[in-house]
Amino acid sequence: SGVRLEQGRVEIEARPARGGQPGFRIGTPQGVLGVRGTEFRVEADAARTRSEVLEGVVAVSGAATAAEQRVSAGFGTVIDSSGRVEPPSPLLPAPDLSAWPPLHERPLVRVTLPLPAGAAGWRAQVGADEAFDALLVDVRTDGAELRLAGLPDGRFPLRLRAVAANGLEGRDARTTLALKARPEPP
């Protein structure tokens, strides 16, 4: 089984294939990614495909060559516009959220977090539930400031990861976003 991803981002948890059955495949304009029981993320646009492996191993092949590159957990790779697969590079570590504010009291949540070495920005996702099956907010920033808007008051699971200069996203850190912004103060 598999899907074709022309543009966008998808996060996948593929179950291990039973003996003799094919694994899960994702085709993009630049190449193909195949797995058997793993957790990984894929982002594709007109210029490149990025993949980050969180658990297991992903087989990556670019359109330029039939050779397969195996990418293990904790690493990511980029397939460029010509279909060439770059060597795997380590994912950025999960950020330290010990300074995350326990309560936010404005509808626009603004937090500035220091970027780790090698990072160019952040990806923040606010889930409707702990499994992140539905996202209420999915924001990518350039730089250290994170802005989240459009949420009602409440407590929400949040995951945050650093984004490297090449666009590969690192490991997740999780916390709770507590918002009590209404009624707004004068």
Side-chain angles (χ1 to χ4, degrees):
S1 64
V3 297
R4 177 90 179 150
L5 179 66
E6 292 293 327
Q7 181 177 341
R9 184 166 189 81
V10 63
E11 299 186 20
I12 296 162
E13 291 182 41
R15 295 176 191 240
R18 294 189 177 131
Q21 291 182 332
F24 187 80
R25 297 169 62 91
I26 295 182
T28 70
Q30 296 81 22
V32 176
L33 300 94
V35 300
R36 289 178 180 261
T38 190
E39 184 179 347
F40 67 111
R41 302 183 294 244
V42 178
E43 181 176 15
D45 57 35
R48 63 188 52 89
T49 295
R50 296 176 192 88
S51 177
E52 303 110 17
V53 182
L54 305 174
E55 185 178 301
V57 177
V58 173
V60 180
S61 58
T65 177
E68 188 176 274
Q69 175 89 33
R70 296 182 67 75
V71 182
S72 299
F75 288 83
T77 190
V78 177
I79 307 173
D80 66 21
S81 60
S82 68
R84 186 183 66 82
V85 180
E86 295 180 4
S89 58
L91 298 180
L92 292 171
D96 176 13
L97 294 180
S98 60
W100 185 261
L103 180 66
H104 298 272
E105 297 179 313
R106 297 280 183 189
L108 175 62
V109 175
R110 293 176 64 173
V111 178
T112 300
L113 298 168
L115 291 168
W122 297 108
R123 166 136 353 239
Q125 296 175 321
V126 178
D129 57 32
E130 292 293 330
F132 289 87
D133 289 333
L135 296 179
L136 301 175
V137 174
D138 186 2
V139 175
R140 181 169 171 195
T141 70
D142 292 322
E145 185 179 57
L146 182 64
R147 293 180 181 202
L148 307 172
L151 290 168
D153 286 353
R155 295 178 59 80
F156 306 97
L158 176 129
R159 61 185 175 195
L160 182 70
R161 62 184 81 114
V163 180
N166 65 0
L168 290 176
E169 297 183 6
R171 295 199 176 267
D172 290 336
R174 293 182 182 226
T175 190
T176 299
L177 170 65
L179 181 63
K180 176 63 177 108
R182 290 159 192 90
E184 288 188 59

